């Protein structure tokens, strides 16, 4: 488990238990990849500032508020 195993299965595995373990592992993997993607987006500033558009002072104030909130 310390080397990165997600879970263990006792032999012989029951089909339902084995299926549930695989589903949990797949969901865990999906969530981990999504988390890594979102963290990279935040670090790159792409989550808000690059996708929202606006040059007015009011929109710039909104961007500033969003960025301050993300860094806290």
């Amino acid at each position: 488990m310390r080397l990165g195993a997600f879970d263990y299965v006792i032999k012989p595995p029951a089909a339902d238990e084995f299926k549930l373990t695989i589903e949990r592992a797949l969901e865990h993997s999906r969530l981990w990849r999504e988390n890594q993607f979102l963290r990279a987006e935040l670090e790159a500033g792409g989550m808000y500032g690059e996708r929202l558009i606006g040059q007015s002072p009011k929109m710039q104030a909104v961007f500033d508020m969003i960025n301050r909130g993300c860094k806290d």
Side-chain angles (χ1 to χ4, degrees):
M1 296 291 279
R2 288 178 292 188
L3 297 176
F6 176 77
D7 203 347
Y8 62 92
V9 178
I10 298 173
K11 293 182 181 179
D16 291 344
E17 183 180 329
F18 192 60
K19 181 181 175 190
L20 184 59
T21 298
I22 291 170
E23 287 172 352
R24 282 194 309 245
L26 291 171
E27 178 67 5
H28 180 270
S29 177
R30 185 191 68 76
L31 290 171
W32 185 86
R33 285 190 313 273
E34 180 180 2
N35 182 278
Q36 296 301 307
F37 171 78
L38 293 173
R39 286 178 185 265
E41 284 286 306
L42 282 172
E43 287 178 16
M47 183 65 72
Y48 302 106
E50 291 179 9
R51 292 190 182 153
L52 296 176
I53 58 171
Q55 299 298 322
S56 72
K58 288 186 179 186
M59 281 307 294
Q60 293 302 312
V62 169
F63 296 151
D64 290 342
M65 285 191 309
I66 290 170
N67 287 328
R68 279 195 309 270
C70 290
K71 293 178 182 161
D72 290 339

